[in-house]
Amino acid sequence: MLPVAELHGVRPGELTPRILESTQPLVLRGLVADWPLVRAARASQQAASSYLRRFYQGMNVVAMLGRPEIDGRFFYNDDLSGFNFFPANVRLDGVLAELEEHRDDEHPPAIYVGSTTIDSCLPGFRSENDVDLQGRDALASIWIGNRTRIAAHYDLPDNLACVAAGRRRFTVFPPEQLENLYIGPLDFTPAGQAISLVDFRQPDFERFPRFADALPHGQVAELEPGDALFIPSMWWHHVEALERFNVLVNYWWRQSPGYMDTPTSALMHAIMTVRDLPPAQRAAWRQLFDHYVFDADEHTAAHIPPAARRVLGPLDADATRALRAQLLKRMNR
């Protein structure tokens, strides 16, 4: 695998479209090195925890907890009927205390608070620790834990992941490697997104032979506190926290309007309605999807007067809302 391309010297207020709209991952060395949280984390785990507690006002968070035997890998159980961890609704200061208590354990329990909205959980934090995304409407989240491994998955939004404490190793693959990553169930997942079933630390090439074909297309980045990684939409990424205390702040945003539904809904609906059709019918529907969706351009509905194009014309928030209501009505018959 190759290293992810790097940029040096970019500051939090200097994120250009070249970076934020890249179709390739980019490491931004030292992007947030001047954040107060990063400076506290470089001093000690206790200093970083104390800094986070300054902003905490008591909101519960969802922590994923696993026994020491899972070795930080949050995953399914052996037959994929459940998971090897359990969620708990707890106070964040309690999680920080638990991480401090187990800091020197050789085999600690796996502790992981993922994707927690910063503005709700730590109000005021972003006034001291933030980046300028040039007007993009981003969701800022914080991730806290010990040595954990999160299986490869994709996200629809673009993602800027900033390491604030500890070190993280990201292994990323382009979307076209889908078939070589052996993705698990779409509708039963550890944290909402479908994941690769391959253990990246110890790949089983007998069970997952095509993963060997994916490896030449993979890229790896190891990030220190203050570094960031831009992950384009739909890129698969495996995330490994390498220290006994790790904090990540990330920003998600979409390049499409907020009123658009997630394409995952369309995928699931197509599985329900198209996948099991007879081959000739499925081929006909492939042509329809190509014509109206994947190959659609200004010529697709040019023969229809603009005022009569309805869903074949440009969609706005009102038109999307009306279409969603129509679809729900049909589905509920």
Side-chain angles (χ1 to χ4, degrees):
M1 288 189 283
L2 297 173
V4 175
E6 296 189 9
L7 292 176
H8 294 256
V10 179
R11 310 315 303 157
E14 301 172 348
L15 293 170
T16 63
R18 176 194 168 204
I19 296 170
L20 298 177
E21 297 173 13
S22 175
T23 58
Q24 294 288 320
L26 289 170
V27 170
L28 306 173
R29 291 290 179 195
L31 177 71
V32 297
D34 293 331
W35 277 6
L37 175 58
V38 173
R39 293 199 298 265
R42 289 189 182 278
S44 68
Q45 176 178 341
Q46 185 177 17
S49 295
S50 296
Y51 183 81
L52 290 172
R53 288 187 179 98
R54 278 181 45 200
F55 303 96
Y56 181 59
Q57 296 184 9
M59 188 188 94
N60 275 15
V61 298
V62 177
M64 296 194 294
L65 307 174
R67 296 181 181 279
E69 300 84 65
I70 74 171
D71 195 23
R73 188 188 185 210
F74 290 93
F75 197 65
Y76 294 97
N77 59 14
D78 289 342
D79 63 1
L80 276 65
S81 63
F83 305 111
N84 66 356
F85 63 91
F86 64 92
N89 223 5
V90 295
R91 288 177 57 95
L92 179 59
D93 51 4
V95 173
L96 295 172
E98 190 82 0
L99 287 166
E100 292 172 10
E101 179 182 341
H102 291 286
R103 171 177 171 74
D104 296 324
D105 292 2
E106 187 67 27
H107 300 288
I111 303 170
Y112 183 62
V113 174
S115 189
T116 300
T117 303
I118 290 175
D119 291 340
S120 299
C121 182
L122 301 170
F125 174 89
R126 291 176 64 192
S127 67
E128 300 181 6
N129 308 266
D130 209 5
V131 296
D132 182 359
L133 296 173
Q134 310 297 321
R136 288 163 176 80
D137 183 19
L139 174 66
S141 300
I142 195 165
W143 314 66
I144 302 171
N146 50 12
R147 287 180 177 144
T148 58
R149 290 184 284 155
I150 305 304
H153 61 284
Y154 70 86
D155 296 307
L156 172 60
D158 291 308
N159 184 358
L160 181 67
C162 305
V163 174
R167 294 181 301 120
R168 267 182 163 80
R169 180 184 297 120
F170 286 80
T171 306
V172 298
F173 290 91
E176 56 266 27
Q177 289 304 308
L178 166 69
E179 68 176 354
N180 294 329
L181 296 179
Y182 296 91
I183 307 307
L186 298 182
D187 53 346
F188 183 62
T189 67
Q193 292 294 95
I195 64 171
S196 170
L197 299 184
V198 180
D199 183 345
F200 279 28
R201 182 182 289 178
Q202 296 179 311
D204 182 344
F205 291 108
E206 290 189 7
R207 184 180 176 191
F208 306 117
R210 290 195 310 276
F211 185 63
D213 298 327
L215 291 176
H217 303 276
Q219 300 179 40
V220 178
E222 192 164 308
L223 305 185
E224 301 285 336
D227 294 338
L229 174 66
F230 172 76
I231 306 172
S233 168
M234 304 302 291
W235 274 66
W236 296 90
H237 48 286
H238 175 278
V239 189
E240 185 172 3
L242 302 175
E243 301 292 346
R244 299 183 183 191
F245 178 69
N246 302 271
V247 180
L248 181 85
V249 171
N250 91 299
Y251 301 84
W252 277 314
W253 68 92
R254 294 179 61 176
Q255 296 185 35
S256 52
Y259 56 75
M260 288 180 60
D261 282 335
T262 170
T264 302
S265 299
L267 174 64
M268 302 298 279
H269 199 65
I271 289 173
M272 180 176 69
T273 61
V274 177
R275 184 194 63 189
D276 296 332
L277 290 172
Q281 293 181 30
R282 195 166 63 245
W285 278 103
R286 182 193 298 271
Q287 291 181 334
L288 283 170
F289 272 78
D290 284 344
H291 182 71
Y292 287 113
V293 179
F294 298 109
D295 297 331
D297 57 23
E298 66 275 11
H299 304 296
T300 302
H303 57 288
I304 303 174
R309 289 175 187 171
R310 299 180 182 271
V311 300
L312 296 181
L315 293 175
D316 57 20
D318 290 337
T320 302
R321 192 178 300 111
L323 179 57
R324 185 181 296 111
Q326 186 181 53
L327 290 172
L328 288 171
K329 184 176 180 180
R330 287 185 180 181
M331 293 175 66
N332 290 328
R333 284 177 179 171

